[in-house]
Amino acid sequence: MRTKYKALVAAAATMLVAAGTTGVAYPDTTDKPHASAAIGNSGAVLHLFQWPWKSVAGECTNVLGPAKFPAIEVSPPQEHVVLPDQGYPWWQDYQPVSYKLDSRRGSAADFADMVKTCDAAGVDVYVDAVINHMAGGASTGNGSAGSTYSHYDYPSVPYGTNDFHHCGRNGNDDIVNWTDQWEVRNCELVDLADLATDTDYVRGKITDYLNGLIDLGVDGFRVDAAKHIAVDDLSAIYGGLHGDPKIFQEVSEGGQGEVSPTDYTGLGRVTEFRYGDVVGDAFKNGSLDSLSSLDSRMLLKSSDAMSFIDNHDTQRNGRAKLTYKDGARYQMAEAFEMAHPYGTPHVLSGFTFDNADAGPPANADGTTKPAVDDSGQCADGWDCTHRKRTVLNMGAFRTTAGDAALTNWWSNGSNQIAFGRGDRAFAAFNASDSDLTTTFATGLPAGTYCDVANGDPSDGGCSGPTYTVDSSGTLSATVPAGGVMAVHVNAMT
C-alpha cells in the first residue's frame, strides 16, 4: 500500500460466472454488522475492473445472471480527474473530483440503469468507494463531469482547504514513516489530498455519497485505502448508512508496528493479502497438497477475510503469483478459491496490458470502449477470464456450498487434490500433465451430477461430462490435465 498511486508522481507501477442452475441455495450468516448476505462465506464477488456501465449491465443479463453468479464489484463511479497527457491511466479513476456519477465508464443514468439491470438479473452490485482522499496536486484540468478543482479546492462537493488533513510532516505532508500509525492516517498517500474524515462535515459528505448509491440499489462497498482512515472515522461513516450494506475494506498487511488488517475486522470483511501469495504460489508450482493447512497460514479468520488470487494492484506491481496471463493455472487457482471454504472469494476480470499504468481500451477522448462486442464476444483488449467455466460456473458452486465445512480431503502426491463441502459439493484439481481418473469419497447424496467445471447445467441436462455418485457417496471421475472437476447438488441431471 505504501507505493500505491506512486505512478501519480513517478509513473511507476503501483501496489496496491454459462448457463443457469436450479435447486436450493444454501445461505450463510455472520454476525458482522456490514458483512452479511451475499458477501458471507456463501458468496463470491467478481470485480469487473474498469468495465463501462452498459457492458456491465449486458454481462449481468446475458452471462452472470443465467449462471447465478452472486455479485460483482464495479470501479469507482464518481467524477475523477482526466489525464490525457499520461494516456488516461487506470489510476486516474482513483483521484476523485466530486461525487457526481459521471465517469469515463458512462453517465449517472447509465450507472443507475446498470444497477437496476443487474438487480433484475439477481446479481448484487458492490462499488469501489474512494473516500480517503481526493486528487493529487499534479492533476490539472476539469474532471470527467466538467467540474473545476485544485488540490485542496473542490467546488462541486464543496470541499476546501480546511476539509483536508495537513499533517505538517516530511516537508510535503506525504507519508514516510509507516510504523507511525497517526502519520499513515493523517498524512498524504503520495500527494493525494487526504480528507479530514474526523470532521462531521466530511463524514456527512461521504455518507451522503454512499447513501445515494445505496438508494440507487447498490448492495455494498469495497472501501479503497481503508488503512489510511481511522477505525473510529469509518465506524461513524458506516453508522450513517441506509439499511445494511455489505462492506469489505482494503487493508494491506505491513511489518511490525504498522497498521494491521485485524484492526478493521470489527467493521466488516478485510482483504487478506497472504491468500494470493500462498494459493497463487501453490498453483504456480504445482504444490497443491500444501493447501491442506491453508487457514492456519492466513492472518485473518475465515469469517473476517476477503480472499483473492490477484487484485488490480497486485496484478500490476508484481506481487501476484498468478494473473490472467498465466492461463489455466490462474483459472484453476480461482476455481479453488471459490470451492474452498476460506473467506469470501474476490475474483478479477479486467483488461489486458503490458504497461502497468495503462488504462482500459479507450476512445480518442479517453472514454472507455465496450468490453463486449455486438456479437456478445469479449471485445479486443479485455481479458474476460470470468467467462471460463472454471470461474463462471463456480459462483453457483460457492453459493450451493454455503457454510458447509471442508470434508473428504484427498491428495495424490503434491499436484493433485480434491475435497468436499459437506453433502453439498465436491471439487478436484489436477496440476499434472496427465489426466487423473480415480474414485473419490465425496459425501454427496446419490445421483447423477453435471461437472460444472467442464460443462453447463441446463434444464436437468449437462453440456459436458456427468458423473454418478453411488449410495455410499463415492464418485469415479476423470479430472483433465491442468484442470478441474466440480459437482454440486444444485447441478444434478
Side-chain angles (χ1 to χ4, degrees):
M1 186 63 160
R2 68 184 60 192
T3 57
K4 188 171 186 182
Y5 311 120
K6 196 170 182 180
L8 306 183
V9 294
T14 64
M15 279 200 62
L16 283 217
V17 125
T21 59
T22 59
V24 178
Y26 293 85
D28 172 67
T29 59
T30 175
D31 59 1
K32 296 298 178 188
H34 295 290
S36 58
I39 205 171
N41 288 65
S42 66
V45 180
L46 167 66
H47 187 188
L48 291 173
F49 180 59
Q50 299 277 357
W51 275 49
W53 309 143
K54 290 182 179 179
S55 295
V56 174
E59 200 73 354
C60 284
T61 298
N62 300 319
V63 177
L64 301 175
K68 301 194 183 315
F69 203 98
I72 58 169
E73 176 198 333
V74 297
S75 292
Q78 68 210 82
E79 183 181 15
H80 53 75
V81 305
V82 180
L83 303 174
D85 292 345
Q86 299 191 56
Y88 306 105
W90 68 266
W91 42 262
Q92 71 176 26
D93 304 49
Y94 289 80
Q95 294 191 62
V97 169
S98 77
Y99 297 125
K100 297 177 181 178
L101 301 183
D102 289 280
S103 71
R104 62 168 150 189
R105 280 171 295 286
S107 68
D110 294 335
F111 178 83
D113 181 69
M114 177 271 294
V115 175
K116 182 179 179 180
T117 300
C118 289
D119 179 69
V123 181
D124 285 355
V125 177
Y126 297 81
V127 161
D128 196 352
V130 183
I131 61 176
N132 170 69
H133 56 262
M134 298 298 279
S139 301
T140 59
N142 296 335
S144 55
S147 299
T148 61
Y149 69 94
S150 62
H151 199 192
Y152 302 117
D153 184 29
Y154 301 86
S156 292
V157 178
Y159 286 143
T161 299
N162 293 334
D163 299 315
F164 298 92
H165 290 138
H166 307 279
C167 72
R169 294 187 179 179
N170 310 315
N172 60 0
D173 284 345
D174 275 6
I175 301 165
V176 172
N177 183 2
W178 289 79
T179 62
D180 185 330
Q181 297 189 15
W182 184 91
E183 185 170 310
V184 169
R185 290 164 171 158
N186 290 276
C187 292
E188 294 182 352
L189 179 63
V190 287
D191 196 43
L192 296 164
D194 194 72
L195 283 163
T197 51
D198 50 338
T199 67
D200 289 341
Y201 178 78
V202 171
R203 289 175 178 177
K205 288 297 182 182
I206 293 171
T207 299
D208 287 347
Y209 165 58
L210 300 180
N211 277 334
L213 296 172
I214 293 169
D215 293 347
L216 287 175
V218 166
D219 298 280
F221 305 98
R222 170 201 182 264
V223 178
D224 179 71
K227 73 183 292 179
H228 298 279
I229 308 173
V231 171
D232 287 347
D233 296 355
L234 285 176
S235 181
I237 292 167
Y238 299 167
L241 298 182
H242 299 165
D244 185 27
K246 283 78 71 176
I247 290 173
F248 67 100
Q249 301 151 116
E250 184 208 17
V251 185
S252 59
E253 181 182 1
Q256 186 175 4
E258 296 189 23
V259 172
S260 173
T262 58
D263 296 340
Y264 292 81
T265 57
L267 300 175
R269 290 186 179 254
V270 181
T271 50
E272 175 54 275
F273 277 73
R274 293 186 187 183
Y275 191 91
D277 298 340
V278 172
V279 177
D281 188 65
F283 276 90
K284 182 176 183 177
N285 297 316
S287 54
L288 307 190
D289 192 43
S290 65
L291 300 175
S292 61
S293 59
L294 176 61
D295 290 40
S296 67
R297 301 168 68 184
M298 299 294 104
L299 174 68
L300 301 172
K301 296 185 299 183
S302 176
S303 58
D304 291 329
M306 204 76 183
S307 64
F308 58 95
I309 304 301
D310 63 338
N311 65 20
H312 66 274
D313 288 312
T314 65
Q315 190 182 71
R316 288 164 172 77
N317 66 21
R319 176 167 180 171
K321 305 296 184 181
L322 293 171
T323 72
Y324 76 92
K325 297 181 181 183
D326 294 291
R329 286 295 174 100
Y330 177 63
Q331 296 155 28
M332 287 174 65
E334 291 204 318
F336 173 89
E337 181 187 3
M338 288 189 280
H340 192 277
Y342 179 84
T344 294
H346 184 257
V347 296
L348 176 65
S349 187
F351 55 91
T352 63
F353 65 92
D354 293 314
N355 175 359
D357 287 335
N363 300 304
D365 62 356
T367 56
T368 306
K369 289 184 176 180
V372 178
D373 64 24
D374 291 341
S375 68
Q377 302 301 306
C378 186
D380 288 346
W382 299 91
D383 76 74
C384 292
T385 300
H386 69 280
R387 289 190 172 192
K388 301 293 185 180
R389 289 190 179 100
T390 45
V391 181
L392 181 67
N393 288 351
M394 293 302 287
F397 181 106
R398 183 72 180 198
T399 303
T400 302
D403 59 1
L406 186 146
T407 55
N408 295 301
W409 181 272
W410 173 95
S411 66
N412 182 32
S414 65
N415 59 9
Q416 296 172 332
I417 62 170
F419 54 86
R421 298 293 303 280
D423 63 353
R424 305 176 188 178
F426 189 87
F429 302 84
N430 180 12
S432 77
D433 295 328
S434 303
D435 290 353
L436 166 67
T437 301
T438 192
T439 299
F440 301 102
T442 69
L444 293 173
T448 303
Y449 292 77
C450 179
D451 177 1
V452 299
N454 297 288
D456 300 320
S458 179
D459 298 325
C462 183
S463 67
T466 61
Y467 297 112
T468 299
V469 174
D470 65 21
S471 59
S472 65
T474 60
L475 175 154
S476 295
T478 296
V479 187
V484 182
M485 183 277 294
V487 295
H488 61 82
V489 295
N490 283 344
M492 298 176 70
T493 64

